[in-house]
Amino acid sequence: MDYFYSNTGLTAVKVDQYEAPVSLIARPDSDELILGERAGRVIRLRIADTGKLSVGEVILDLSDQVTALGEGGLLGLAFSPDGDYLYVSLTRSEDGQSQILAYQMNSNKPLKDTARLLLAVDQPSSDHNNGHILTDPKGRLIIGFGDGGPGLVRDPSGKGRDRSTLLGTLVRIRPTPNEDSAYLVPPENPFFNSDELGVRPEILVFGLRNPWRFDLDPLNGDLWITDVGYQLVEEINYLPANEVDSGADFGWAAMEGSVEFAGPEPVGHVRPVYEYRHDGVGVRCSIIGGVVVRGGLPHTLEGSFLYSDFCDGVIRALVPDGEGGWTEQHLGAKVDLPVHFARSHDGTVFVLSLAGGVYRLEPS
């Protein structure tokens, strides 16, 4: 799909270098940033007066617990809203199982011996593990799981349509650090009181292939999800805040974006707000989300959704076109092998490269 250059150009300024960084989060009530490397190290950073990131201190090393085989590794970090707990998403070294762990924080770092397993999901392969996590303002943890792959096989076990598994979904749970149960299912979850046999009440949305990544708009609670396509369509999905609890079905593998795939199109299928094709046209291959702009960048981008593609690395924005649709804008910046976007407390946007670079986006 064609794009045009925005009047608001951005530059990607390299601010540091790490080993395959895949997650970056802001610590609550602090100017610290916490970075996760795919191999299992968690590093505390500060932003120096020069705008560069300070020399980082390793505050947690899980290298002996993590496998980076396939699409595995340390894949996500999140804080509880009060900053008392650090949540870590990883694939376990011995069998590739996806695990969500909680660590109690002291003043400066997580305490490794306080590790508490919140959730574990067996993976049928080392592909489409996903593992992005974030917490919402109510302290609920949202977790992304792909359909389990493998590779370019088209969901052979039908996980995307099967709500008895957490694969192919976003999950929402409430961690309970001081109770016997590791988590509770929020009663507002759409399938909490489902009459359908076997449906997992943890599921927030389903019908996803590999939702890499997703974001909650900090201003209004809207949910944005980028879902990596099979061989044809990359998609951006959007739910306004009043529809987040609706139990949305994004269609995979009956649909790939708005295109019928295994078919037929499910009743109530939520189509993407934007999609692009990569069937031999251009150089894009795998969508990488993405954050909503809230402060920190020119006001002309306020409320836009930033994203890129792993193969071409061009930074783009999705903005309303004023007619109920959306327009893709090319912002001029480019990052090699982008894998993650992050937003600091003041709205500064960072892009992480699997090649090692951490980049700050700023007006060109």
Side-chain angles (χ1 to χ4, degrees):
M1 187 170 290
D2 293 336
Y3 56 77
F4 64 89
Y5 283 85
S6 167
N7 291 329
T8 304
L10 297 182
T11 298
V13 178
K14 189 173 183 179
V15 293
D16 219 332
Q17 178 82 16
Y18 295 93
E19 293 293 328
V22 292
S23 185
L24 183 69
I25 58 174
R27 186 174 179 182
D29 300 321
S30 170
D31 59 357
E32 292 180 350
L33 299 175
I34 306 297
L35 180 139
E37 294 179 330
R38 187 181 176 199
R41 297 198 311 167
V42 179
I43 302 169
R44 185 174 73 237
L45 307 169
R46 288 182 180 272
I47 301 175
D49 292 339
T50 62
K52 297 281 188 178
L53 297 180
S54 64
V55 176
E57 174 193 1
V58 177
I59 58 173
L60 185 65
D61 191 341
L62 302 175
S63 304
D64 59 341
Q65 298 176 224
V66 171
T67 176
L69 181 69
E71 296 177 9
L74 189 158
L75 299 173
L77 298 171
F79 273 110
S80 60
D82 58 13
D84 289 346
Y85 290 89
L86 176 68
Y87 305 121
V88 179
S89 171
L90 57 82
T91 51
R92 185 169 64 175
S93 57
E94 60 189 80
D95 56 7
Q97 182 186 68
S98 289
Q99 294 192 337
I100 311 300
L101 301 163
Y103 294 87
Q104 187 174 348
M105 295 288 294
N106 68 4
S107 59
N108 292 313
K109 62 180 63 177
L111 302 173
K112 192 170 184 178
D113 60 1
T114 66
R116 178 177 170 92
L117 179 63
L118 299 183
L119 182 65
V121 175
D122 291 336
Q123 290 287 353
S125 80
S126 60
D127 295 323
H128 302 181
N129 298 155
N130 200 286
H132 183 43
I133 56 176
L134 58 80
T135 46
D136 68 14
K138 295 182 179 180
R140 300 170 299 187
L141 187 60
I142 302 176
I143 308 160
F145 294 108
D147 66 6
L152 291 178
V153 178
R154 45 185 242 174
D155 192 18
S157 301
K159 302 299 185 185
R161 315 292 324 139
D162 182 2
R163 286 175 292 160
S164 69
T165 175
L166 300 184
L167 295 174
T169 74
L170 295 191
V171 167
R172 187 171 64 186
I173 61 175
R174 184 182 298 280
T176 53
N178 299 315
E179 300 182 26
D180 292 338
S181 173
Y183 68 86
L184 297 176
V185 178
E188 57 271 29
N189 273 19
F191 304 109
F192 182 78
N193 289 315
S194 176
D195 294 329
E196 297 182 58
L197 184 65
V199 172
R200 294 289 297 266
E202 297 95 336
I203 293 173
L204 180 63
V205 304
F206 68 104
L208 295 166
R209 183 173 182 267
N210 196 22
W212 190 284
R213 310 285 208 177
F214 49 91
D215 188 38
L216 282 174
D217 187 329
L219 180 66
N220 55 32
D222 294 350
L223 176 63
W224 292 83
I225 308 169
T226 54
D227 198 13
V228 177
Y230 176 55
Q231 288 182 314
L232 186 65
V233 178
E234 305 295 315
E235 62 186 89
I236 299 177
N237 296 296
Y238 166 76
L239 290 175
N242 62 357
E243 296 179 16
V244 170
D245 295 342
S246 64
D249 173 8
F250 292 111
W252 177 255
M255 306 291 292
E256 185 182 9
S258 63
V259 178
E260 189 170 297
F261 187 65
E265 183 170 9
V267 175
H269 169 228
V270 179
R271 291 194 170 200
V273 295
Y274 197 80
E275 62 186 29
Y276 61 88
R277 300 168 75 97
H278 58 79
D279 48 340
V281 179
V283 294
R284 291 196 272 181
C285 67
S286 182
I287 194 166
I288 301 294
V291 293
V292 180
V293 176
R294 291 300 178 193
L297 287 175
H299 67 88
T300 52
L301 289 175
E302 185 72 8
S304 298
F305 181 69
L306 302 186
Y307 62 98
S308 186
D309 186 281
F310 185 73
C311 286
D312 79 351
V314 173
I315 308 301
R316 298 173 172 88
L318 194 65
V319 297
D321 64 6
E323 300 178 357
W326 303 83
T327 299
E328 179 184 67
Q329 293 188 5
H330 184 309
L331 300 178
K334 185 174 181 179
V335 171
D336 289 337
L337 305 181
V339 288
H340 182 76
F341 284 70
R343 184 181 50 237
S344 67
H345 291 312
D346 66 0
T348 301
V349 176
F350 297 90
V351 184
L352 276 57
S353 165
L354 197 62
V358 177
Y359 298 84
R360 183 184 67 248
L361 297 183
E362 60 182 40
S364 59

